[in-house]
């Protein structure tokens, strides 16, 4: 095994190191989620932590790491006799994103279970991680069925393996550490809440610190063993400090004043449930033990809030994680205790009574004081920068304050007024407007039966779901169809010389259950941003509808992409990605104005789908075209748009047109366009899930109504469409 990079040699990243060390001191804190851009030492720091973890005593020969003093009575390798056991280093087990269910929870030998009635069980990664660290890199990309298993194990402290009535249970208590890049998508809320702490990391912008990072990394790559030897002293000191903090932890007093501050802070930030209060209490206690104190101070509560609350206060997927530190300080000051828990007379002389967390020499984050008086991670040192990077909102306020009048843009997108702002050359560009409040949308799905990645949108053949049949297994058997297996083996029992009660089963008799569940799709939004859509209230409603569909795509685990068209061309505002948040940000800053190059938008979307089909052929696409159906600019824009639309129909791409046409007189152009696409059309009002109680619209749907509506209006509106 290669020598890991020393934990104490990691440059900067004080919050990350502190969060990991607090979990080493008190595993009950509940783990760490590390969020940040690529190349910020996330994985390096996590892998280095295992070398600092205290050794564990285990029962000799037990594959499930039972403690000698209190072995698990239900251990599959048990029962164990009480004894001294053996000591070994704590394990760090890595869970690959593409791991199978059997690799995670373990596998049961079905043939021996049926024929001999024995539990021949091969432990999985959860068993290996018991009493150690379970590390998931790119945890936000983990498949849903693996997330469900992790949630169960983290909640119950045990793993259950069920195979057709045969079950195995073993203890699985571990420190869960995950790293992720938010640009690649967010975590499910249930798993997000299971992480005790969260840390936002970013690369330093200080040249001197970046130089030191490069210098240490090059030195490590040249001679890993020699580099580790140079840092052995610091590693030993931190390891000894963790052991001392663990021994001190039971003696730390969490006073009523600190508890009141914790409860008031969680209530002020409106976090769901009570887990946040419990995690904050455990974190504050661990902070005090790490600093060598037996009393929890206000600065510990403040630091605990900064680590435990940011990922719990998000109200929807498009809210950036983070805390308002001014509000946090006001809450802590309002509920400050009068006794010694406020830190006024603390032994370390911090004297910090305003909850600013300046104790332990961190000051206000100006960097003028000793940067790390207490070793790696500091002693309750707050982050130098807030978790919220301000990437959501902020820059778009100028276009949404309502100071500009709506309806200034001609409906045909000719030469719109610019409301006092200079337009882009030839585009008549308007400043962006904010999206209206999102709402719950109707279910849109792709017809047929797919085989894509697990999700919650369209029907698909999956590893999980309801059983629909049986087949011979391809490779390892994962889901046994018991009835089909018995039916296949029954005719051969006499020929195989069956003499006892057991069923003589051969490999050829086994049948794999085929199951039907739901898959995630690629939802490609094609948004008309031309002048005909640019009226203030109208575009706000359109953005609100797309934002609602994006929220739906997030909940159904889809990939999303965004193509916009206006002026004289179309552009890919966001290539297909799992980051719905990124799509929401691009949508918010979307400008409008100019003509309507509908054909260009459709052709660009068709090209995006062609490229994505090569990258991920199993993932089916759903095109959501948001437009009023008008086409202007260039020669024969209507005919070109029709030909482009028929390309989607020829490829069998599922599509839905969100009809944004408004006013008393409607031309029905979106309905005609939906017919050419081979899809269906819905109005903005019909898109709402509560517009007609209990109605769920499938993309395949009945297109005849839309076609007939378009034909009935075609005679009266043909001239109008050509004029458009």
């Amino acid at each position: 095994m290669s020598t890991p990079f020393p934990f104490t040699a990691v440059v900067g990243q004080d919050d990350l190191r502190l969060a990991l060390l607090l979990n080493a001191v008190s595993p009950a804190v509940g783990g760490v989620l590390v969020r940040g851009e690529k190349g910020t030492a996330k994985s390096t720091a996590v892998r280095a932590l295992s070398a600092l973890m205290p050794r564990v005593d285990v029962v000799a020969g037990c594959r499930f790491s039972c403690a000698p003093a209190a072995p698990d009575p239900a251990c599959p390798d048990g029962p164990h006799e009480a004894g001294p056991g053996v000591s070994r280093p704590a394990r760090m087990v890595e869970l690959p994103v593409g791991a199978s269910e059997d690799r995670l929870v373990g596998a049961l030998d079905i043939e021996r279970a049926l024929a001999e009635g024995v539990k021949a069980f091969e432990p999985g990664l959860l068993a290996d991680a018991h009493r150690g660290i379970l590390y998931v890199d790119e945890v936000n990309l983990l498949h849903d069925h693996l997330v469900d298993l992790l949630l169960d194990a983290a909640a119950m402290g045990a793993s259950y393996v069920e195979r057709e009535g045969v079950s195995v249970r073993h203890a699985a208590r571990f420190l869960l550490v995950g790293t992720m890049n938010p640009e690649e998508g967010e975590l499910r809320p249930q798993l997000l809440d299971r992480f005790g702490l969260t840390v936002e990391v970013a690369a330093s912008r200080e040249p001197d610190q970046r130089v030191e990072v490069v210098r240490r990394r090059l030195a490590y790559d040249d001679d890993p063993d020699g580099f580790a030897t140079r840092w052995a002293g610091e590693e030993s000191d931190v390891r000894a400090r963790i052991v001392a903090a663990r021994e001190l932890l039971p003696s730390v007093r969490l006073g009523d004043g600190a508890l009141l501050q914790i409860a008031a802070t969680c209530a002020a930030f409106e976090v769901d449930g009570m887990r946040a209060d419990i995690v904050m209490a455990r974190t504050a206690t661990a902070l005090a033990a790490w600093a060598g104190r037996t009393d929890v101070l206000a600065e510990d509560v403040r630091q605990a809030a900064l680590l435990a609350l940011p990922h719990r206060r998000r109200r929807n997927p498009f809210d950036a994680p983070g805390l308002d530190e001014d509000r946090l300080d006001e809450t802590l000051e309002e509920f400050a205790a009068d006794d010694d828990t406020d830190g006024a007379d603390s032994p370390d002389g911090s004297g910090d009574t305003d909850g600013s967390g300046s104790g332990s020499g961190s000051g206000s984050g100006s960097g003028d004081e000793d940067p790390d008086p207490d070793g790696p991670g500091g002693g309750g040192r707050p982050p130098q920068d807030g978790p919220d990077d301000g990437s959501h909102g902020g820059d778009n306020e100028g276009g949404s304050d309502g100071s500009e009048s709506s309806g200034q843009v001609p409906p045909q997108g000719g030469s719109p007024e610019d409301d006092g702002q200079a337009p882009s050359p030839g585009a008549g560009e308007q400043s962006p407007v904010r999206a209206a409040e999102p709402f719950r949308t109707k279910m849109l799905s792709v017809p047929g039966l797919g085989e894509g990645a697990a999700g919650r949108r369209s029907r698909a053949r999956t590893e999980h779901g309801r059983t629909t049949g049986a087949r011979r297994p391809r490779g390892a058997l994962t889901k046994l169809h018991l009835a089909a297996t018995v039916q296949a083996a029954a005719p051969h029992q006499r020929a195989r010389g069956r003499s006892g009660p057991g069923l003589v089963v051969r490999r050829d008799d086994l049948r794999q259950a085929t199951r039907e569940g739901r898959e995630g799709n690629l939802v490609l939004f094609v948004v008309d941003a031309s002048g005909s859509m640019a009226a203030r209230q109208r575009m706000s409603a359109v953005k609100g509808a797309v934002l609602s569909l994006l929220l739906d795509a997030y909940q159904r685990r889809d990939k999303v992409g965004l193509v916009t068209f206006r002026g004289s061309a179309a552009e890919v505002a966001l290539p297909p990605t799992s980051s719905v948040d990124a799509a929401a940000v691009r949508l918010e800053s979307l400008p409008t104005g100019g003509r309507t190059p509908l054909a260009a938008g459709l052709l660009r979307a068709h090209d995006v789908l062609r490229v994505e089909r090569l990258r991920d052929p199993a993932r089916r696409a759903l095109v959501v075209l948001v437009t009023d159906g008008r086409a202007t600019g260039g020669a024969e824009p209507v005919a070109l748009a029709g030909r482009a639309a028929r390309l989607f129909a020829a490829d069998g791409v599922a599509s839905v047109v969100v009809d944004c046409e408004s006013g008393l007189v409607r031309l029905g152009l979106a309905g005609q366009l939906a017919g050419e696409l081979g899809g269906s059309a819905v109005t903005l009002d019909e898109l709402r899930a509560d517009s007609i109680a209990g109605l769920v619209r499938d993309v395949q749907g009945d297109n005849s109504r839309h076609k007939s509506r378009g034909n009935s209006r075609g005679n009266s509106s043909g001239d109008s469409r050509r004029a458009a």
Side-chain angles (χ1 to χ4, degrees), residues 47-69:
R47 293 188 176 102
L49 176 67
S50 60
L52 300 179
M53 296 289 287
R55 297 175 67 87
V56 295
D57 293 329
V58 298
V59 173
C62 178
R63 298 175 297 167
F64 301 88
S65 302
C66 284

Side-chain angles (χ1 to χ4, degrees), residues 194-250:
R194 285 293 174 187
F195 286 98
L197 310 179
T198 185
V199 177
E200 294 278 337
V201 297
S204 172
R205 299 296 181 258
E206 293 294 330
D208 290 343
Q209 195 171 67
R210 295 175 74 97
V211 166
E212 186 61 24
V213 170
V214 175
R215 181 181 291 118
R216 293 188 186 182
R217 186 69 210 189
L218 293 177
Y220 170 78
D221 290 341
D222 289 342
D223 183 9
D225 293 334
F227 185 81
T229 300
R230 290 197 295 275
W231 288 89
E234 287 83 351
E235 293 280 287
S236 179
D237 291 343
V238 173
R239 193 179 297 109
R241 187 175 174 186
I242 291 174
V243 173
R246 281 193 172 190
E247 294 174 351
L248 181 63
L249 188 64

Side-chain angles (χ1 to χ4, degrees), residues 20 31-32 34 46 49 133-137 175-179 195:
L20 292 172
V32 186
V34 187
V46 173
L49 176 67
I133 303 172
L134 181 62
Y135 172 47
V136 190
D137 194 13
L175 172 60
L176 181 61
V177 181
T179 55
F195 286 98

Side-chain angles (χ1 to χ4, degrees), residues 606-607 609-610 613 644-654 677:
H606 188 269
D607 189 57
L609 293 182
R610 179 185 60 79
R613 200 175 295 121
R646 288 190 286 274
L647 291 175
F648 291 84
D651 290 344
V653 177
L677 284 165

Side-chain angles (χ1 to χ4, degrees), residues 257-276:
L259 273 174
L260 180 62
Q261 287 185 314
I262 290 171
T265 301
C266 293
F269 285 99
E270 300 179 347
V271 296
D272 296 329
M274 295 297 299
R275 184 174 284 119

Side-chain angles (χ1 to χ4, degrees), residues 35 37 182-183 200-202 320-322 385-393 395:
R35 298 163 46 93
E37 58 197 22
E183 295 177 354
E200 294 278 337
V201 297
D385 297 295
D388 189 353
D389 61 2
S391 62
H392 293 259
D395 354 347

Side-chain angles (χ1 to χ4, degrees), residues 4 36 259 312 326 351 367 434 497 594 634 641:
L259 273 174
R312 291 187 167 91
D326 292 336
R434 285 195 182 277

